[in-house]
Coordinates of all heavy atoms in Angstrom, one line a residue:
E39 N -14.5 66.1 30.0 CA -14.1 65.8 28.6 C -13.4 67.1 28.0 O -14.0 68.1 28.1 CB -15.4 65.5 27.8 CG -15.1 64.7 26.5 CD -14.6 65.7 25.4 OE1 -15.0 66.9 25.4 OE2 -13.9 65.2 24.6
Y59 N -12.6 80.2 35.0 CA -12.6 78.9 34.4 C -12.8 78.9 32.9 O -13.8 79.5 32.5 CB -13.7 78.0 35.1 CG -13.8 76.6 34.6 CD1 -12.7 75.7 34.8 CD2 -14.8 76.2 33.8 CE1 -12.8 74.4 34.3 CE2 -14.9 74.9 33.3 CZ -13.9 74.0 33.6 OH -13.9 72.7 33.1
T79 N -26.4 65.3 6.0 CA -25.0 65.1 6.5 C -24.7 65.8 7.8 O -23.9 65.4 8.6 CB -24.0 65.6 5.4 OG1 -24.3 65.0 4.2 CG2 -22.6 65.3 5.8
A80 N -25.5 66.9 8.0 CA -25.2 67.7 9.2 C -25.3 67.0 10.5 O -24.4 67.1 11.4 CB -26.2 68.9 9.2
K195 N -39.7 44.8 25.3 CA -38.4 44.6 26.0 C -37.9 45.8 26.7 O -37.3 45.7 27.8 CB -37.4 44.1 24.9 CG -37.5 42.7 24.4 CD -36.4 42.3 23.4 CE -36.5 40.9 23.1 NZ -35.4 40.5 22.1
M204 N -35.8 49.8 37.8 CA -36.2 50.8 38.7 C -35.7 50.6 40.1 O -35.2 51.5 40.8 CB -37.7 51.0 38.7 CG -38.2 51.7 37.4 SD -37.5 53.4 37.1 CE -38.0 54.3 38.6
V234 N -31.3 80.5 36.4 CA -31.2 79.1 35.8 C -31.8 79.2 34.4 O -32.6 80.1 34.1 CB -32.0 78.1 36.6 CG1 -31.4 77.9 38.0 CG2 -33.4 78.4 36.7
G246 N -39.8 77.7 24.6 CA -39.5 78.3 25.9 C -38.3 79.3 25.9 O -37.9 79.7 27.0
L248 N -36.3 82.7 24.3 CA -36.3 83.9 23.4 C -34.9 84.0 22.7 O -34.0 84.5 23.3 CB -36.6 85.1 24.3 CG -37.9 85.1 25.1 CD1 -37.9 86.3 26.0 CD2 -39.1 85.1 24.2
Q273 N -16.7 80.9 23.5 CA -17.5 82.1 23.6 C -18.3 82.1 24.9 O -18.5 81.0 25.5 CB -18.4 82.3 22.4 CG -17.7 82.4 21.1 CD -18.6 82.6 20.0 OE1 -18.7 83.7 19.5 NE2 -19.3 81.5 19.5
N291 N -35.0 72.8 39.3 CA -35.4 74.0 39.8 C -36.7 74.6 39.1 O -37.7 75.0 39.7 CB -34.3 75.1 39.9 CG -34.8 76.4 40.4 OD1 -35.3 77.3 39.6 ND2 -34.6 76.6 41.7
A303 N -26.1 70.3 45.9 CA -27.4 70.4 45.1 C -27.3 69.9 43.7 O -28.1 69.2 43.1 CB -28.0 71.8 45.2
L344 N -34.0 80.5 9.3 CA -33.2 80.1 10.5 C -34.0 79.0 11.3 O -35.2 79.3 11.7 CB -32.9 81.3 11.4 CG -32.2 80.9 12.7 CD1 -30.7 80.5 12.4 CD2 -32.2 82.1 13.7
T359 N -28.4 75.9 15.6 CA -29.2 76.6 14.5 C -28.7 76.2 13.2 O -27.5 76.0 13.0 CB -29.1 78.1 14.8 OG1 -27.8 78.6 14.6 CG2 -29.5 78.5 16.1
A410 N -17.5 73.0 23.5 CA -17.6 74.5 23.7 C -16.5 75.2 22.9 O -16.5 76.4 22.9 CB -17.5 74.8 25.2

Side-chain angles (χ1 to χ4, degrees):
E39 198 283 330
Y59 176 70
T79 307
K195 284 183 177 180
M204 285 302 297
V234 298
L248 303 173
Q273 297 183 103
N291 176 272
L344 180 67
T359 65

